[in-house]
Amino acid sequence: MTPTTKTPSKKEIQNVLKECETHNKKHHCFTTLCKEEAQKQKKAKGTLSGIYISVKDNICVKDVETTAGSHILKGYLPKFDATTIQKLKEEGATIIGKTSCDAFGFGSFNTNVGKGFSIPKNPHDTKRTTGGSSGGSAAITQLATFPHVSLAESTGGSIACPASFCGIIGLTPTYGRVSRYGLIPYANSLDKIGIMSKKVSEIEPILKVISGFDEKDGTSLKEPLNLNAPKKLRIGIIKESYAKGIDPEIQKALKSILTKLKQKHTITEISLPLTTTYGVACYYILATSEASTNLACLSGLRYGQELPKKNKGFNSYFTEVRTKSFNQESKRRIMIGTFTRMAGYRDAYYIKATKVRTKIIQEYKKAFKTYDVLISPTMPFIAPTFSNIDKMTPLQNYLSDILTVGSNLAGLPHASIPIGKKEGMPIGLLAITDHLKEGTLLQTLKEIEALQ
Amino acid sequence: MKIDTELIQKIATLAHLELTEEEVKTFKKDFKEILNTFSILDRIDVKGTKSSFRPLEQKNILREDKIKPSLTQKETLSFTKDHKDGFFIGPKTIE
């Protein structure tokens, strides 16, 4: 991406959208292409003029269908821009379309799309997943030949996972760093809007624009973006990265990068036993608990799918519209979250998980007293084929998030960057830094990128 | 714990979902497997540990109580096909 700082012409926008259409035919990256809106968009002159942005479909763009990949929100046309979108537009960026995701972000392989949506396909091999839930964003980031960056979102690893599987960079900032206003929520205490790009240098200008306090988001941080970083990094390699279950070839790629990094930086092993042992259970209890309350607003009344007649009672109507419109995984997560908050079980599941989360945060905070950055593989395996995903149980799906849930639970900035390939498929490395240390994270990515 | 049809149906009612027999069967199986994995949390002692409802401690963020531009009634009602006299039409609240 080379910023042109020039307002794009009608013809240039047309060519970009034409290219997107071609990619979409084969890879299903988009749920909606902004054919008219991209032309109509008032082009401000700013630091992002000439940059094209694709947006995960759970982030609201004014007058562009926004469904969070779900059938129940089909037809919803927001009358406002999310704060991130408003800021990007003000700096001259052009919004080109909404990208495919698992419905409401419920998935690691982008196969849990809503009724009527297509599953995106990996640019390296169409028989394989893009990863999820920001799969469409990752695919178009890999495919685009024009100056492009994607706005994605992570709850438990939805930026890092597809970035790893598609061989691009995916950065999730500190929780609260970027406003969530206009983001259709999965789990409020976990959701974070982030960035996907091909090169590390493309992230910083976008991060500078979308970061910052927003009074419309009660969890938005007042601290300014800190891009300072130490020259020599104290790197902690998470010991559990070499555990059984992580593909040996991924471990080999990681070791090879670490050998190179060692020439300039200090590297030692660190164990995160609490995060590794309890992270997945803690994450899924909290995420589904929050999701089950968030999705209660989808009642088929004020937006999205409606039933033709409202002559039934409220409860019957509400039940019918949700039963007809939610896909299987949405129902499953709503059911789990309803259970974990249910009288008699709440303390044992939800409340317990909030306390385990404290312990996990403490484990990371202790580690950051000694280290600037923690490193592990992003995913335990390369992008699986769709036929292998079909054979997985829901629990096996959830367990694949083992390396990404920790930093998401703790709200720590983290990023995936490609470090090699296995069978032609990308391998990703996950770097995690302390809260508000986006500068150190970007520095780590630059160092790794320079080694390849 | 016992995961039976009755429990699954109770959760579904609370979640405002109607499940087919097949779905009840699937969720019963899934719940057994998933809750068994969640039970790993029984092993960790959290006595005296505070809850983290958010990853970072944040105090209440307040703003000035000033009227700012917001969606008009027309814009808000444009989300639905079913409205009358400036109101959303909804189902009966008492059955």
Side-chain angles (χ1 to χ4, degrees):
Chain A
M1 179 182 89
T2 315
T4 58
T5 61
K6 205 183 105 214
T7 309
S9 68
K10 247 186 167 173
K11 182 83 191 148
E12 281 167 332
I13 297 175
Q14 219 171 31
N15 288 341
V16 161
L17 289 165
K18 217 168 160 191
E19 184 186 324
C20 289
E21 249 180 338
T22 310
H23 294 315
N24 214 25
K25 272 184 199 147
K26 195 173 168 196
H27 294 97
H28 312 309
C29 322
F30 290 95
T31 52
T32 305
L33 270 172
C34 302
K35 280 186 200 163
E36 286 169 26
E37 297 83 357
Q39 296 287 8
K40 271 197 272 177
Q41 196 187 307
K42 210 177 143 205
K43 303 288 180 309
K45 253 203 164 152
T47 55
L48 302 178
S49 296
I51 306 294
Y52 297 90
I53 313 262
S54 62
V55 180
K56 186 175 178 179
D57 195 32
N58 59 357
I59 301 168
C60 289
V61 176
K62 194 180 176 200
D63 295 328
V64 177
E65 188 179 64
T66 298
T67 67
S70 74
H71 176 69
I72 202 163
L73 279 170
K74 195 84 194 127
Y76 172 52
L77 295 172
K79 291 288 163 202
F80 66 101
D81 279 324
T83 298
T84 45
I85 301 300
Q86 187 194 332
K87 286 178 163 187
L88 290 168
K89 282 182 178 174
E90 279 168 7
E91 282 300 330
T94 305
I95 310 295
I96 51 167
K98 309 301 298 291
T99 58
S100 172
C101 57
D102 290 284
F104 305 106
F106 296 163
S108 307
F109 302 124
N110 220 139
T111 45
N112 299 326
V113 295
K115 221 192 307 172
F117 292 90
S118 303
I119 294 169
K121 301 196 180 344
N122 196 302
H124 299 274
D125 178 357
T126 51
K127 288 189 206 73
R128 292 176 189 264
T129 173
T130 54
S133 64
S134 312
S137 281
I140 189 63
T141 301
Q142 175 57 255
L143 293 163
T145 62
F146 49 86
H148 165 268
V149 165
S150 197
L151 207 57
E153 178 275 336
S154 172
T155 307
S158 286
I159 292 178
C161 162
S164 174
F165 286 170
C166 291
I168 53 140
I169 297 150
L171 181 138
T172 305
T174 308
Y175 176 81
R177 168 83 292 152
V178 173
S179 168
R180 289 184 295 114
Y181 179 73
L183 170 72
I184 296 171
Y186 166 178
N188 306 47
S189 85
L190 292 150
D191 297 344
K192 301 156 294 287
I193 291 178
I195 302 159
M196 285 179 168
S197 70
K198 255 194 201 138
K199 288 184 193 149
V200 179
S201 59
E202 294 164 347
I203 293 179
E204 199 176 304
I206 308 287
L207 191 60
K208 277 182 179 164
V209 169
I210 63 171
S211 293
F213 175 70
D214 181 12
E215 67 170 25
K216 291 176 186 158
D217 173 3
T219 54
S220 167
L221 296 174
K222 287 201 164 148
E223 289 83 349
L225 179 66
N226 176 5
L227 292 176
N228 296 330
K231 282 212 169 68
K232 191 173 172 180
L233 297 164
R234 296 169 301 163
I235 300 171
I237 165 77
I238 301 171
K239 201 176 151 191
E240 287 81 3
S241 309
Y242 298 118
K244 225 173 119 187
I246 315 268
D247 187 323
E249 283 205 44
I250 292 179
Q251 293 174 343
K252 212 171 115 190
L254 184 68
K255 275 185 182 159
S256 155
I257 281 286
L258 291 173
T259 310
K260 292 177 193 165
L261 283 170
K262 223 173 188 167
Q263 290 167 9
K264 195 173 158 192
H265 310 283
T266 59
I267 301 178
T268 46
E269 248 182 26
I270 174 173
S271 177
L272 297 176
L274 296 181
T275 307
T276 315
T277 313
Y278 304 111
V280 172
C282 179
Y283 168 75
Y284 274 97
I285 292 172
L286 294 178
T288 55
S289 295
E290 293 184 30
S292 67
T293 57
N294 277 328
L295 269 59
C297 70
L298 300 171
S299 57
L301 283 183
R302 288 167 298 155
Y303 35 70
Q305 291 296 301
E306 293 180 65
L307 296 178
K309 280 186 183 164
K310 295 201 173 76
N311 50 3
K312 289 180 179 170
F314 179 80
N315 283 329
S316 314
Y317 178 84
F318 194 14
T319 302
E320 192 180 338
V321 80
R322 288 160 62 86
T323 300
K324 280 185 176 160
S325 300
F326 284 137
N327 67 6
Q328 187 81 349
E329 186 57 25
S330 300
K331 286 180 189 171
R332 185 179 290 109
R333 294 200 191 194
I334 291 170
M335 291 278 293
I336 296 170
T338 303
F339 169 78
T340 53
R341 292 182 301 108
M342 213 161 99
Y345 301 103
R346 188 174 178 269
D347 285 351
Y349 289 94
Y350 176 65
I351 296 297
K352 178 86 188 247
T354 61
K355 292 179 180 175
V356 175
R357 183 185 207 175
T358 305
K359 293 247 179 202
I360 288 173
I361 296 169
Q362 285 167 350
E363 184 169 74
Y364 276 113
K365 289 307 246 187
K366 193 177 159 208
F368 287 120
K369 283 185 181 154
T370 316
Y371 297 98
D372 297 310
V373 57
L374 303 178
I375 278 176
S376 74
T378 308
M379 295 302 290
F381 38 71
I382 55 165
T385 58
F386 292 113
S387 60
N388 277 338
I389 293 168
D390 286 345
K391 290 177 208 145
M392 290 169 88
T393 66
L395 180 65
Q396 284 169 331
N397 266 269
Y398 300 169
L399 291 174
S400 65
D401 299 337
I402 186 150
L403 300 167
T404 59
V405 288
S407 48
N408 280 281
L409 274 169
L412 297 162
H414 59 276
S416 180
I417 180 165
I419 53 163
K421 280 189 176 172
K422 179 196 172 184
E423 295 162 16
M425 297 307 294
I427 294 170
L429 172 150
L430 186 73
I432 309 166
T433 56
D434 200 358
H435 291 133
L436 303 166
K437 299 277 187 189
E438 274 79 9
T440 308
L441 183 58
L442 283 170
Q443 181 59 28
T444 309
L445 299 180
K446 280 176 202 161
E447 297 277 343
I448 294 170
E449 189 179 53
L451 294 172
Q452 297 173 73
Chain B
M1 70 170 297
K2 207 174 150 204
I3 312 283
D4 53 16
T5 305
E6 203 187 325
L7 179 70
I8 296 293
Q9 288 290 15
K10 189 179 168 188
I11 301 166
T13 306
L14 286 170
H16 283 89
L17 292 170
E18 207 174 322
L19 304 181
T20 61
E21 260 178 54
E22 195 54 40
E23 281 175 323
V24 171
K25 229 169 105 185
T26 308
F27 286 146
K28 226 158 68 175
K29 187 175 150 276
D30 294 347
F31 262 62
K32 275 183 194 159
E33 205 185 17
I34 292 164
L35 294 183
N36 187 37
T37 303
F38 284 0
S39 70
I40 196 167
L41 297 193
D42 296 341
R43 293 193 215 158
I44 180 169
D45 184 10
V46 290
K47 219 187 257 166
T49 308
K50 278 189 184 169
S51 284
S52 287
F53 294 105
R54 275 191 286 272
L56 283 105
E57 262 192 54
Q58 279 159 307
K59 288 191 182 136
N60 282 336
I61 298 170
L62 304 172
R63 61 167 170 79
E64 235 183 303
D65 190 17
K66 254 172 127 179
I67 295 174
K68 286 188 178 170
S70 60
L71 295 185
T72 61
Q73 190 184 44
K74 198 178 156 200
E75 282 173 327
T76 311
L77 290 171
S78 73
F79 297 139
T80 179
K81 290 172 211 119
D82 243 0
H83 57 90
K84 197 182 171 191
D85 303 332
F87 293 98
F88 286 100
I89 297 177
K92 286 181 282 185
T93 47
I94 303 166
E95 286 185 60

